Amino acid sequence: TLLDEGATLIDTAPSYSQAEEITGQILTNLDARKKTFLATKVRIQGKDNGISSFNESLAKLKADQIDLMQVHNLVDTATHLATMREWKQAGKFRYIGVTHWQTSQHQALADAMAKEEMDFVQLNYSVDDRNAEKRLLPLAQDKGIAVMINVPLGRGKLLSAVKDKPLPDWAKEMGCTSFAQMLLKFVISHPAVTVAIPATSKAKHMAD
């Protein structure tokens, strides 16, 4: 459904159970690797361990190149970014970046963005948690860093809050036919935001 509806980004990680391996199998079976923007992560201490993680991700994803490699939740950031720059230069990664999903870590994300060279930052931002507007999103714009938004639906609590409420008439003026679309449109309408990753296990929600 993701591919049929024109989406391209798949964001995964070694810590997401068998997600990398299954993603690699599915993309191979569908002959769809070239149709996707494949992002994964490294979350381990140490340079050598990081290199092993990179190689395992490439093997599991059945890919010669990963579009975006990210330091997961800022674990050993400087060490991994240094290696990732070398791998980017060698053509193994197209882009590199860092991630976190907690508002309490926004200062640490800002520090990394200010100090380190990177292409992407992944962070949390939603209609009920707009802290990223204060510094992170302007900083990303200033430095030309692409922004990937995680938990844009507040891990489902935002949808639960509007479950029994009627969709306002003005939603149609925004081109939205559901609350999920409205919540996502709020996020991606910020000029600093490149893409949002809402996450779902249901095809009908993927289409939405």
Side-chain angles (χ1 to χ4, degrees):
T1 301
L2 178 141
L3 295 171
D4 289 345
E5 295 291 336
T8 57
L9 173 65
I10 299 174
D11 178 71
T12 185
S15 57
Y16 300 167
S17 187
Q18 294 177 284
E20 284 187 323
E21 187 173 2
I22 293 171
T23 296
Q25 292 173 355
I26 291 173
L27 292 182
T28 299
N29 293 344
L30 295 177
D31 192 23
R33 174 64 185 94
K34 293 181 179 179
K35 298 178 182 178
T36 58
F37 185 99
L38 203 53
T40 191
K41 309 176 185 77
V42 57
R43 185 183 180 182
I44 198 166
Q45 292 283 350
K47 179 177 180 177
D48 290 343
N49 289 333
I51 290 172
S52 294
S53 179
F54 298 153
N55 282 318
E56 288 176 9
S57 291
L58 284 163
K60 289 180 178 179
L61 291 166
K62 300 183 186 300
D64 295 324
Q65 182 188 65
I66 292 172
D67 294 300
L68 171 60
M69 179 59 73
Q70 304 157 100
V71 180
H72 201 172
N73 292 348
L74 299 174
V75 175
D76 208 356
T77 301
T79 298
H80 294 316
L81 280 177
T83 306
M84 286 156 60
R85 291 186 193 103
E86 295 175 2
W87 283 49
K88 178 183 174 182
Q89 191 72 25
K92 293 292 186 180
F93 306 145
R94 288 179 63 202
Y95 304 106
I96 60 174
V98 299
T99 84
H100 215 290
W101 60 279
Q102 292 179 313
T103 303
S104 62
Q105 296 301 310
H106 280 191
Q107 182 59 54
L109 272 177
D111 292 343
M113 292 166 65
K115 181 179 179 181
E116 301 282 355
E117 178 187 340
M118 65 183 72
D119 306 303
F120 268 83
V121 61
Q122 182 182 144
L123 55 95
N124 59 304
Y125 177 53
S126 60
V127 72
D128 71 330
D129 187 353
R130 300 174 62 175
N131 189 68
E133 294 175 357
K134 297 176 183 177
R135 185 178 180 196
L136 290 182
L137 296 179
L139 180 61
Q141 286 180 291
D142 289 344
K143 295 183 69 68
I145 299 173
V147 177
M148 186 185 302
I149 299 300
N150 56 42
V151 294
L153 303 177
R155 293 193 178 276
K157 70 177 183 293
L158 291 174
L159 293 175
S160 296
V162 297
K163 181 174 60 175
D164 299 320
K165 298 183 184 300
L167 194 69
D169 291 337
W170 51 265
K172 297 176 183 177
E173 298 175 18
M174 298 167 58
C176 296
T177 59
S178 72
F179 276 110
Q181 291 179 15
M182 291 177 66
L183 293 165
L184 289 172
K185 193 152 194 171
F186 168 82
V187 168
I188 64 173
S189 292
H190 192 289
V193 173
T194 307
V195 66
I197 46 174
T200 181
S201 60
K202 297 179 175 63
K204 66 178 182 180
H205 291 164
M206 176 66 75
D208 199 32

